[in-house]
Amino acid sequence: MLLSLLIIIPFFSSFLSFFSYKLNKNIPRWIALTGILFTLLVIIQIFLEKNYYFVPVLHYPNWDYQFKIPWIPQFGIEFNIAIDGFSIIMLIFSSFLSIIAIISSWNEIKQNEGFFYFNFMLVLTSIIGVFIAVDLFLFFFFWEIMLIPMYFLISLWSNEIQKEKRYSVANKFFIYGQISGLILLSSILLLVFNYYQDTNILTFNYNLLLDHSINKYIEYVIMLGFFLAFSIKMPIVPFHGWLPDIHTKSSYCGTVEIICVLLKTAPYALLRYNLVLFPYSTEKFAPIAMYLGIISIFYGAWLAFSQTNIKKLIAYSSISHMGLILIGIYSNNEIALQGVVIQMLSNSISTAALCIISGQLYKRLKTQDVRQMGGLWSYIYWIPGFSLFFALANLGVPGTGNFIGEFLILSGMFQTFPFISVFATIGIVFSSIYSLNFIQKIFYGSSKKKFPIFFVNKQELWIIIVLIFMLIFLGLNPQRIINTSYNSIHNIQKKFNNSISKIRL
Amino acid sequence: MIINIQQLTAFLPFFIVIFSLTTVILSISYSRNHFFTAVFVILSFIAVFFSLFFLTSQVPLDVGILFHIDGYSIFYIGMIIIASISTCVFSYPSLVRYPYNKEEFYLLILISNLGAILSIVSNHMSSLFINIEIMSIPMFGLIAYFNNKKHSLESAFKYVILSSIASSFLLLGISWVYSISGNLSFSSINHVLNIISLNEKLVVVFGIIMILISLFFKLSIVPFHLWTPDVYQGTPSVVLSFFSTVGKISTFGILLHFLSHISSLNNNILYFLLSLITIFSMLIGNLMALFQNNLKRFFGYSSISQLGYLFVVLLVSKNNYLLSLEASSIYLCGYLFSNIAYFGIINLVSNFYNNSVNSISSYKGFFWSEPGLSSILTLVLLSLAGFPMTLGFIGKFYILSIIIKEHLWIVGISFLVSTILGFYCYLRIIINLYLDPSNILLGQKLNIFKNWLYAPSAIIIFFSAMIILILGVYPNPLINFIKLMSFL
């Protein structure tokens, strides 16, 4: 029952915040904030009830909590949610980052607050749903539901003056998302009907579908469908077209939600579904995925280098990091998978912080163009130092979580794919070049214009300080995260490996 | 021919319609009273709806050789009755303003409704032809009813000519089939197809194709779709909610019934043509809807693609008749309620401003002045697009699962492409509702609900939106109900 609260609380707080708008303009954000805080409390309660020790449990779908009621019995669809160590980490981080997104939007959203927080909480609901669904139909349901509120967040509260442009951007996002969703739905149906043909049971249950072996050609097709759907959301290079545009056009509160929380659903889904449902074809497909990952790393880094818009730069850098995560996922190595988890979290924190900083710069300077900035260090307090820290964190300086993540991914991968590991390491060099270039162009040198000296207000300061502490915590004490997610990651990897060897025999 | 008491009870709904028809005619000729007529017609429709309950214990049942009633036809009749009730409710406020004769409108709706429900249960070529004519001839009058409006007569003329051509095709096809089978009942076709020689079979197939063409005309499937947007544009939105639900639901019911009777016809060319028609109607409907600026024209095109999706059901109805019946019923149910809500809202707004407000741009910022109605409109559009949490999605889900189960890959790909195109179309309208209201027309506060005249319409719109939402999240009751109907 506790689990269903995770869906119920944010869902109803979204409606509450919409209807309370009539009473007072300030109530919606308080309702949204308390909604997330209650959700976080529930998550922490679940977290504390189960002790995540370093004790391996030997079979894979080992849910700590499960909640199941029938939904559409004709199709074998259940409202089936469950939680394990991996999803609990994702939940904690996504709700935490959503709190930060809300606080950073506190004074930014000046129109239609009720509707904004309505959409915001709906996005959060669906993201939580994605992380805890173990029924494939339910997973798809949440995967789709997040599109509409996100669409409104992008199109209605964007900082673009030209209206036509921002709708086309939002449409682009929606169409990409819809393509991903439809491909996902068709491949889920293909999987389910395949199971039905063999066993005469129509079910969407993840646990049941897990232990079923499919004809290898059909498996490859289904795997490809899942991979396409997830890599559009992730985004990986040939499918990345929507991200940079969205990033520049939407307001930074929306961006924090997109880049930090929304994008993390795709690697999660890859780990949870692709690796264990289709081990054979995933193994066959791994080289291609790795090449795509390498291409993303270099493409993202190079394009980030040439950007003149801060937000586009951040977007491309996150594409480049997503490439690294993709390589880690397909490396078939446990250490690398642990690294993927750390990297997902720390990357989202550092990008979130960079987004917030760029938003604050935009608020003051009314431009996102790097060429018009320069020499800002002498005009602004605090922000340059912070952005230096986050830029360094982004390129993986020891002491931050990104370093741990990259190190674990690369070193884990070295055992199985040494050459690709070396290549990916070269990508990090490029990421340091663009980060330092970006810092240099904005904050150092002579200033292009006379800017008034400005201060950062307390609230913004605290947000960033909290993010810094989180990042350093991840860098200094990653073992806690690894311990919590150990069981599920370990078992995912083992299940993947076992099934491969079974097929080979 | 002896008709027993059981068959008479089975005909109770039809008798009620005929009875109220005569009463309305008499009351018009005696003294005109708009309010009385409207209330009487609505009440008699409600009575018909509840009298369907008596049928459930008696079906399946043959009434003479002309009619055959089964569980599905009861379900389809129920949908048609709901559409008629909502049309009458919506039309009352618009007719109050109409300066000329008002009561004949209800008369036309009653006649057309009678034709529609009779044609669903008909099991014989002659009754099929007559009932289709009874259904479509009053439509001419309905389309041209508000003839003081722009485009009204034009669209009526277009529909008259094309509909009569379609009817002549139907008659031609029936005569070709009759020339071989020597019998007009549906079941004889199947029997004849098994025993005739190849040459004779060609004649029968030609006749069947003629009949199908005429039905496709009524459904405005792609090669025969050119009239749709023009007729939709000129038709008043009240009539449109009737025209696009009753006409299409009943014609589709006939089509399904008819095709189930020629199941022994294994004709690859027919199958190929049917799949081509399906693919092109899905694609072209959505593609053309992209460029429309008029809400009615837009809906005309989008209804083409909606029916295109539904035609996937026909492709597999031979192998998997029950599942396809279930899918089509759910899909049509979603289509019905979204139609009612969509045209209800357009009608409400147009009525309120005393002129028709049809262009998409005039709904700019509608959300900020009228949040309730525009939330419902958003829901309806999402349901038409097939987004989760709406009944439309459940229908799409059924159709996609049929596609994947039967491995119709090419149809599947065009289904995906056209769904994405469709999303683009519907999003264009949805985002329009949420823009900053710069338009004076709808920017002001409407207060539609202050007027008691509009209260029943608003209730019906709200009710159908709730059905779309609730059955979309929890479709079990509907699925169970349809299953129950199929066992009758």
Side-chain angles (χ1 to χ4, degrees):
Chain A
M1 218 32 230
L2 211 54
L3 265 183
S4 59
L5 281 183
L6 288 182
I7 306 284
I8 291 168
I9 295 174
F11 186 72
F12 280 100
S13 63
S14 75
F15 279 94
L16 263 183
S17 56
F18 179 61
F19 288 115
S20 64
Y21 178 61
K22 288 268 162 62
L23 301 175
N24 191 336
K25 279 190 173 183
N26 294 324
I27 294 179
R29 51 176 103 120
W30 281 108
I31 287 175
L33 192 61
T34 43
I36 300 180
L37 281 176
F38 272 115
T39 321
L40 193 60
L41 276 182
V42 173
I43 297 167
I44 288 171
Q45 168 70 19
I46 292 170
F47 180 69
L48 292 179
E49 259 177 51
K50 291 282 163 185
N51 289 314
Y52 289 94
Y53 288 128
F54 199 74
V55 184
V57 182
L58 281 178
H59 61 99
Y60 166 53
N62 173 39
W63 310 113
D64 296 321
Y65 261 100
Q66 196 163 10
F67 175 76
K68 189 159 86 168
I69 44 173
W71 184 13
I72 310 175
Q74 280 80 5
F75 276 96
I77 295 168
E78 290 159 330
F79 186 82
N80 188 348
I81 48 182
I83 205 165
D84 67 352
F86 183 29
S87 35
I88 214 163
I89 286 182
M90 300 309 292
L91 284 180
I92 292 175
F93 266 80
S94 52
S95 47
F96 211 80
L97 285 171
S98 306
I99 292 176
I100 281 170
I102 281 201
I103 296 174
S104 68
S105 69
W106 201 260
N107 294 323
E108 301 303 310
I109 303 303
K110 295 250 165 54
Q111 46 169 347
N112 311 323
E113 287 94 339
F115 197 50
F116 179 84
Y117 289 105
F118 171 74
N119 287 323
F120 189 92
M121 293 307 284
L122 272 188
V123 172
L124 185 67
T125 314
S126 56
I127 285 168
I128 288 175
V130 164
F131 285 141
I132 61 180
V134 282
D135 186 284
L136 286 177
F137 184 85
L138 190 68
F139 172 77
F140 165 77
F141 187 79
F142 286 124
W143 186 263
E144 282 280 277
I145 284 292
M146 69 171 87
L147 287 179
I148 282 279
M150 205 68 230
Y151 176 76
F152 283 135
L153 282 187
I154 293 165
S155 56
L156 297 180
W157 289 274
S158 99
N159 52 19
E160 177 75 20
I161 316 296
Q162 276 178 305
K163 282 189 180 160
E164 289 306 314
K165 200 90 179 270
R166 73 191 202 196
Y167 300 130
S168 69
V169 164
N171 280 343
K172 204 171 173 183
F173 165 78
F174 195 88
I175 298 300
Y176 267 97
Q178 199 54 42
I179 291 171
S180 139
L182 282 173
I183 291 173
L184 184 64
L185 180 61
S186 349
S187 19
I188 285 174
L189 281 174
L190 198 57
L191 179 67
V192 166
F193 281 115
N194 218 303
Y195 186 79
Y196 177 70
Q197 221 169 33
D198 294 348
T199 61
N200 229 7
I201 300 170
L202 198 58
T203 181
F204 282 74
N205 194 328
Y206 176 68
N207 300 349
L208 287 178
L209 293 171
L210 206 60
D211 297 322
H212 175 61
S213 58
I214 324 167
N215 176 333
K216 62 181 179 181
Y217 298 110
I218 297 174
E219 185 188 312
Y220 201 86
V221 170
I222 302 171
M223 191 279 306
L224 213 59
F226 271 74
F227 177 79
L228 267 177
F230 297 147
S231 60
I232 287 172
K233 260 286 171 46
M234 208 161 152
I236 295 302
V237 151
F239 319 109
H240 67 289
W242 58 277
L243 186 70
D245 287 347
I246 295 293
H247 228 254
T248 44
K249 297 296 183 298
S250 62
S251 76
Y252 75 90
C253 325
T255 327
V256 170
E257 190 71 8
I258 294 176
I259 202 151
C260 310
V261 192
L262 201 68
L263 295 192
K264 299 300 172 284
T265 53
Y268 169 85
L270 274 180
L271 272 173
R272 181 72 90 202
Y273 294 95
N274 264 29
L275 285 192
V276 282
L277 279 176
F278 324 108
Y280 172 76
S281 47
T282 304
E283 211 235 344
K284 287 248 162 182
F285 187 70
I288 301 172
M290 287 200 163
Y291 289 130
L292 284 179
I294 290 279
I295 292 169
S296 300
I297 291 178
F298 284 100
Y299 178 88
W302 289 340
L303 279 194
F305 183 76
S306 63
Q307 295 308 314
T308 53
N309 187 319
I310 303 179
K311 279 199 157 174
K312 262 197 174 154
L313 187 146
I314 298 167
Y316 279 112
S317 97
S318 97
I319 289 175
S320 151
H321 285 108
M322 279 300 170
L324 190 64
I325 289 176
L326 184 72
I327 294 176
I329 288 171
Y330 276 89
S331 67
N332 184 19
N333 182 291
E334 196 188 325
I335 297 173
L337 289 185
Q338 309 280 15
V340 164
V341 177
I342 303 279
Q343 173 75 6
M344 268 154 77
L345 305 178
S346 54
N347 179 37
S348 54
I349 296 172
S350 62
T351 3
L354 284 176
C355 280
I356 291 171
I357 285 172
S358 75
Q360 288 170 359
L361 284 179
Y362 178 78
K363 204 168 87 184
R364 267 103 195 192
L365 307 176
K366 293 283 169 255
T367 175
Q368 291 178 346
D369 198 339
V370 174
R371 285 167 298 184
Q372 294 179 21
M373 299 175 190
L376 286 181
W377 197 291
S378 44
Y379 297 107
I380 321 173
Y381 290 89
W382 296 102
I383 287 183
F386 286 147
S387 36
L388 184 60
F389 173 80
F390 284 115
L392 289 179
N394 211 12
L395 65 89
V397 152
T400 58
N402 300 55
F403 169 71
I404 305 287
E406 280 172 11
F407 176 75
L408 286 180
I409 291 176
L410 292 172
S411 63
M413 202 161 49
F414 195 79
Q415 297 168 9
T416 38
F417 298 93
F419 284 107
I420 290 180
S421 172
V422 169
F423 257 115
T425 318
I426 294 170
I428 291 174
V429 176
F430 287 107
S431 82
S432 60
I433 292 174
Y434 72 71
S435 302
L436 293 177
N437 180 48
F438 146 77
I439 291 293
Q440 206 275 334
K441 269 188 183 158
I442 296 178
F443 295 113
Y444 293 94
S446 59
S447 53
K448 307 266 162 51
K449 268 193 257 173
K450 262 294 195 212
F451 293 111
I453 293 179
F454 58 80
F455 294 89
V456 180
N457 60 25
K458 270 198 192 118
Q459 188 187 334
E460 293 167 345
L461 195 67
W462 279 111
I463 293 170
I464 294 175
I465 287 174
V466 166
L467 288 174
I468 287 178
F469 272 108
M470 282 167 79
L471 213 50
I472 290 178
F473 169 78
L474 275 179
L476 297 184
N477 191 8
Q479 194 60 36
R480 273 211 67 72
I481 307 291
I482 293 177
N483 280 354
T484 312
S485 66
Y486 178 77
N487 256 338
S488 34
I489 295 292
H490 174 77
N491 284 325
I492 284 174
Q493 203 270 335
K494 218 170 72 186
K495 178 144 185 80
F496 176 55
N497 247 345
N498 280 350
S499 339
I500 291 173
S501 51
K502 233 187 272 170
I503 290 165
R504 272 184 188 150
L505 287 173
Chain B
M1 193 172 72
I2 301 161
I3 292 180
N4 55 24
I5 190 77
Q6 193 192 13
Q7 290 171 336
L8 276 179
T9 344
F11 252 58
L12 188 62
F14 311 104
F15 286 139
I16 297 174
V17 177
I18 293 168
F19 167 73
S20 79
L21 195 62
T22 42
T23 317
V24 169
I25 292 174
L26 289 177
S27 85
I28 288 174
S29 50
Y30 180 65
S31 91
R32 285 176 182 276
N33 185 344
H34 181 205
F35 182 73
F36 166 76
T37 315
V39 170
F40 179 75
V41 169
I42 290 169
L43 283 181
S44 64
F45 273 134
I46 291 171
V48 174
F49 190 75
F50 284 108
S51 72
L52 289 177
F53 175 74
F54 292 109
L55 265 72
T56 51
S57 55
Q58 316 201 352
V59 292
L61 176 73
D62 276 310
V63 183
I65 49 166
L66 294 184
F67 300 107
H68 174 78
I69 307 175
D70 57 9
Y72 272 101
S73 47
I74 295 177
F75 188 77
Y76 276 68
I77 289 171
M79 287 200 283
I80 287 171
I81 299 294
I82 290 173
S84 311
I85 292 173
S86 59
T87 308
C88 291
V89 172
F90 292 151
S91 62
Y92 185 77
S94 2
L95 282 171
V96 164
R97 298 227 169 104
Y98 185 64
Y100 312 107
N101 289 340
K102 303 179 173 85
E103 290 81 2
E104 282 82 351
F105 188 87
Y106 301 99
L107 203 62
L108 291 174
I109 282 190
L110 273 172
I111 299 171
S112 179
N113 180 62
L114 181 67
I117 58 181
L118 277 175
S119 65
I120 278 181
V121 296
S122 58
N123 198 26
H124 195 265
M125 295 290 192
S126 61
S127 63
L128 175 78
F129 180 76
I130 291 168
N131 289 318
I132 282 184
E133 287 303 293
I134 291 176
M135 176 180 75
S136 50
I137 288 172
M139 292 274 194
F140 309 152
L142 284 174
I143 290 171
Y145 202 83
F146 295 91
N147 53 19
N148 49 356
K149 296 260 167 70
K150 218 172 163 185
H151 298 300
S152 167
L153 284 177
E154 178 201 339
S155 58
F157 262 111
K158 262 185 187 152
Y159 190 63
V160 167
I161 292 166
L162 286 164
S163 176
S164 48
I165 288 174
S167 302
S168 61
F169 267 107
L170 182 61
L171 211 51
L172 184 64
I174 289 171
S175 61
W176 279 73
V177 173
Y178 179 74
S179 68
I180 298 297
S181 70
N183 192 340
L184 281 174
S185 80
F186 281 179
S187 45
S188 72
I189 300 175
N190 206 4
H191 177 65
V192 151
L193 276 172
N194 286 327
I195 52 171
I196 49 176
S197 68
L198 203 62
N199 285 335
E200 288 173 324
K201 202 168 187 173
L202 210 61
V203 176
V204 175
V205 168
F206 180 75
I208 287 170
I209 287 177
M210 282 290 149
I211 294 171
L212 287 183
I213 282 176
S214 105
L215 294 178
F216 291 164
F217 248 119
K218 303 263 171 179
L219 288 173
S220 66
I221 289 300
V222 146
F224 318 108
H225 70 288
L226 290 169
W227 57 274
T228 320
D230 293 338
V231 171
Y232 267 63
Q233 189 181 11
T235 313
S237 45
V238 190
V239 180
L240 213 47
S241 79
F242 185 77
F243 178 67
S244 78
T245 50
V246 171
K248 296 210 164 148
I249 288 173
S250 64
T251 317
F252 191 80
I254 296 163
L255 193 61
L256 209 57
H257 191 65
F258 182 71
L259 282 181
S260 76
H261 276 286
I262 52 166
S263 54
S264 67
L265 177 71
N266 275 320
N267 196 322
N268 285 329
I269 297 173
L270 195 62
Y271 184 81
F272 176 71
L273 284 179
L274 208 57
S275 42
L276 265 190
I277 281 172
T278 311
I279 290 168
F280 279 108
S281 1
M282 289 195 276
L283 287 174
I284 289 177
N286 277 327
L287 202 64
M288 297 304 288
L290 265 181
F291 307 109
Q292 304 307 319
N293 285 320
N294 184 311
L295 278 175
K296 286 178 186 169
R297 276 186 89 86
F298 169 83
F299 201 86
Y301 278 117
S302 96
S303 78
I304 294 171
S305 63
Q306 296 285 333
L307 281 163
Y309 297 146
L310 195 53
F311 261 51
V312 173
V313 171
L314 294 182
L315 293 178
V316 297
S317 63
K318 214 175 283 175
N319 316 331
N320 214 332
Y321 188 60
L322 275 183
L323 179 68
S324 62
L325 275 180
E326 200 178 312
S328 62
S329 310
I330 286 179
Y331 195 90
L332 278 176
C333 210
Y335 179 74
L336 167 76
F337 285 111
S338 18
N339 250 304
I340 289 173
Y342 184 84
F343 288 117
I345 290 170
I346 292 177
N347 185 43
L348 210 58
V349 174
S350 316
N351 265 337
F352 203 78
Y353 286 103
N354 241 336
N355 59 347
S356 37
V357 186
N358 288 328
S359 76
I360 290 177
S361 57
S362 59
Y363 280 81
K364 208 170 169 185
F366 190 47
F367 181 77
W368 308 114
S369 59
E370 202 58 56
L373 278 185
S374 64
S375 306
I376 290 173
L377 196 54
T378 312
L379 189 75
V380 167
L381 289 169
L382 287 180
S383 165
L384 286 172
F387 198 75
M389 274 176 83
T390 56
L391 191 52
F393 170 69
I394 305 291
K396 284 264 172 70
F397 180 72
Y398 260 96
I399 283 170
L400 193 59
S401 50
I402 283 177
I403 288 173
I404 284 170
K405 206 173 174 188
E406 303 288 331
H407 310 296
L408 307 164
W409 300 125
I410 298 169
V411 175
I413 289 167
S414 60
F415 178 82
L416 293 186
V417 171
S418 66
T419 309
I420 287 160
L421 276 177
F423 261 107
Y424 197 82
C425 308
Y426 295 114
L427 273 182
R428 215 161 53 97
I429 301 180
I430 290 173
I431 195 63
N432 224 317
L433 302 174
Y434 294 87
L435 294 181
D436 299 329
S438 56
N439 197 314
I440 311 153
L441 183 64
L442 288 173
Q444 53 188 290
K445 197 76 184 160
L446 288 187
N447 281 331
I448 283 176
F449 302 107
K450 288 279 162 61
N451 197 334
W452 64 270
L453 210 56
Y454 300 118
S457 327
I459 288 169
I460 281 191
I461 291 167
F462 180 74
F463 184 68
S464 45
M466 279 299 108
I467 283 180
I468 289 173
L469 186 65
I470 291 170
L471 289 183
V473 176
Y474 191 68
N476 257 355
L478 182 64
I479 297 174
N480 284 336
F481 184 69
I482 289 168
K483 279 247 166 82
L484 188 76
M485 282 298 180
S486 73
F487 287 128
L488 287 177

